[in-house]
Amino acid sequence: MPISALDDLRSAFADLRDALDGEDIALVDAATARVRDATTRVREAGAWRDEPAVRDRLNGLMPLIEAARIRTNVLNDNARQRMNLLASHGTTQVPLTYGR
């Protein structure tokens, strides 16, 4: 497996982590696409389980991957809590657009 594919994967996950820390959804979308493409290249190379150096390098990526996973879960939970808060207020706190 070319080491450049693993370098691209590391860089893609670092970009995703940074994008998740920001507020620009376009950057998140672009970083997600980059992770998807880099992951595809690594998978296409195949036979990575047979190479100890590659396996070690992938294991070194795990903290970065885990950080992106945790950020995604936190953001998802934050959005869910906000939606629940808005739903709990219902129409008693927000005026209706159309009168009946």
Side-chain angles (χ1 to χ4, degrees):
M1 168 184 298
I3 298 298
S4 64
L6 293 175
D7 291 340
D8 290 345
L9 187 61
R10 175 179 290 280
S11 177
F13 269 106
D15 288 348
L16 179 59
R17 181 194 59 208
D18 293 342
L20 289 170
D21 285 342
E23 295 182 12
D24 187 350
I25 192 64
L27 289 177
V28 173
D29 284 343
T32 302
R34 198 164 162 225
V35 166
R36 182 190 60 236
D37 295 343
T39 302
T40 299
R41 282 193 301 278
V42 168
R43 285 183 179 158
E44 287 173 350
W48 57 268
R49 291 179 183 94
D50 299 332
E51 300 177 35
V54 172
R55 214 174 32 239
D56 291 342
R57 197 130 187 204
L58 284 170
N59 285 332
L61 281 171
M62 293 308 293
L64 198 57
I65 294 168
E66 183 69 4
R69 185 189 69 78
I70 289 170
R71 280 174 173 78
T72 301
N73 288 340
V74 167
L75 291 171
N76 183 38
D77 187 52
N78 187 353
R80 184 186 52 77
Q81 287 178 19
R82 287 180 181 200
M83 290 178 69
N84 286 341
L85 181 64
L86 289 172
S88 72
H89 288 298
T91 59
T92 60
Q93 301 295 322
V94 181
L96 293 173
T97 303
Y98 302 103
R100 292 184 183 216

